[in-house]
Amino acid sequence: AEWAHEKDLIVKKFKEVSDLQYLEAHYYQKISQLSVSGLLSLLYLYLNDDDELWMFFPRYEHLDSNIDSLTVKDILKMLLTIAQCLQKLHANELIHGNIDKKNIYMAPDGKYILGDLYSKTKYETLLDCVKRHETNNSSREFADDIYSLGEVGTNLYESLKRSDQTSEVLDQLKSLLEKCLYQDPLLRPNASKTLETLSSLLEQA
């Protein structure tokens, strides 16, 4: 898609606009205003004469096209980006709610971007959607984001070549991911602790 002087954009269109879509657009606006490094930002929001809601985002390469060539450092950088985004969102009482491999992209400079275009959950009612987008989330909702980080990290960890899985860094990463997947949400590390651990592992890698 194109908009004004910008080309090669991703556009998310809603042809049947309801309160759910307006709420989603409002959420994108909120997180874009935070200017979180590593988080996909909404560039333009447009409601045309046919009552179609269009949201424009920068286009990046999808992770799936590079997943087979990922190294330990690549995975640590990716998880670090997710943790940085979560720390900023949680500090502002927002959750992500859609952390998934399908929402990870690569910028031309090699940095990773956490998006939100693929939804893991289909919201049936406005109330369900409001729960995700409200700014009064409990520690349970924050912990669910950490659990999703653990799921993505475990999946990426298991994709590494066996020769890479003998390092001490990988053992520590596995330990962190296991903590993120604790069934009791109160036992999972928060975003700041997760970020601190990943930063330390990246320095060692």
Side-chain angles (χ1 to χ4, degrees), residues 122-136:
K122 183 178 180 181
Y123 298 102
E124 300 292 347
T125 68
L126 180 60
L127 185 60
D128 291 337
C129 194
V130 167
K131 183 62 180 175
R132 179 202 167 192
H133 297 309
E134 65 185 1
T135 57
N136 214 4

Side-chain angles (χ1 to χ4, degrees), residues 192-204:
S192 295
K193 181 61 178 178
T194 303
L195 177 59
E196 178 184 332
T197 303
L198 288 169
S199 297
S200 175
L201 291 177
L202 185 58
E203 289 179 358
Q204 299 174 49

Side-chain angles (χ1 to χ4, degrees), residues 150-201:
E151 287 183 317
V152 170
T154 299
N155 189 281
L156 294 171
Y157 171 89
E158 292 174 349
S159 73
L160 287 168
K161 296 177 181 178
R162 186 167 300 276
S163 59
D164 288 328
Q165 295 184 353
T166 57
S167 72
E168 183 178 344
V169 169
L170 262 294
D171 291 339
Q172 293 180 57
L173 174 59
K174 183 179 181 182
S175 175
L176 171 65
L177 296 174
E178 288 173 346
K179 292 175 183 176
C180 291
L181 295 174
Y182 280 156
Q183 289 303 305
D184 186 345
L186 297 178
L187 296 179
R188 297 171 200 158
N190 61 23
S192 295
K193 181 61 178 178
T194 303
L195 177 59
E196 178 184 332
T197 303
L198 288 169
S199 297
S200 175
L201 291 177

Side-chain angles (χ1 to χ4, degrees), residues 33-88:
Q33 289 168 357
L34 294 176
S35 299
V36 181
S37 176
L39 194 62
L40 186 69
S41 295
L42 175 68
L43 296 177
Y44 307 105
L45 183 63
Y46 174 62
L47 184 65
N48 67 16
D49 294 336
D50 296 324
D51 288 330
E52 293 180 342
L53 185 64
W54 294 11
M55 293 187 286
F56 293 84
F57 301 87
R59 181 184 295 276
Y60 296 111
E61 186 177 2
H62 202 275
L63 173 64
D64 281 349
S65 59
N66 297 280
I67 197 165
D68 291 334
S69 61
L70 292 176
T71 65
V72 174
K73 279 193 174 183
D74 291 331
I75 291 176
L76 287 171
K77 288 177 181 178
M78 194 182 310
L79 295 177
L80 187 68
T81 296
I82 296 174
Q84 288 170 333
C85 292
L86 291 184
Q87 183 190 47
K88 186 72 171 182

Side-chain angles (χ1 to χ4, degrees), residues 94-151:
L94 293 167
I95 60 173
H96 188 277
N98 275 322
I99 296 172
D100 190 276
K101 276 198 309 180
K102 295 181 180 179
N103 277 327
I104 301 175
Y105 303 88
M106 284 186 64
D109 61 3
K111 292 182 180 179
Y112 293 100
I113 305 292
L114 177 62
D116 190 23
L117 299 178
Y118 166 76
S119 179
K120 295 198 301 181
T121 304
K122 183 178 180 181
Y123 298 102
E124 300 292 347
T125 68
L126 180 60
L127 185 60
D128 291 337
C129 194
V130 167
K131 183 62 180 175
R132 179 202 167 192
H133 297 309
E134 65 185 1
T135 57
N136 214 4
N137 291 291
S138 69
S139 57
R140 175 58 189 257
E141 278 77 33
F142 298 148
D144 286 346
D145 270 346
I146 296 298
Y147 188 91
S148 295
L149 181 153
E151 287 183 317

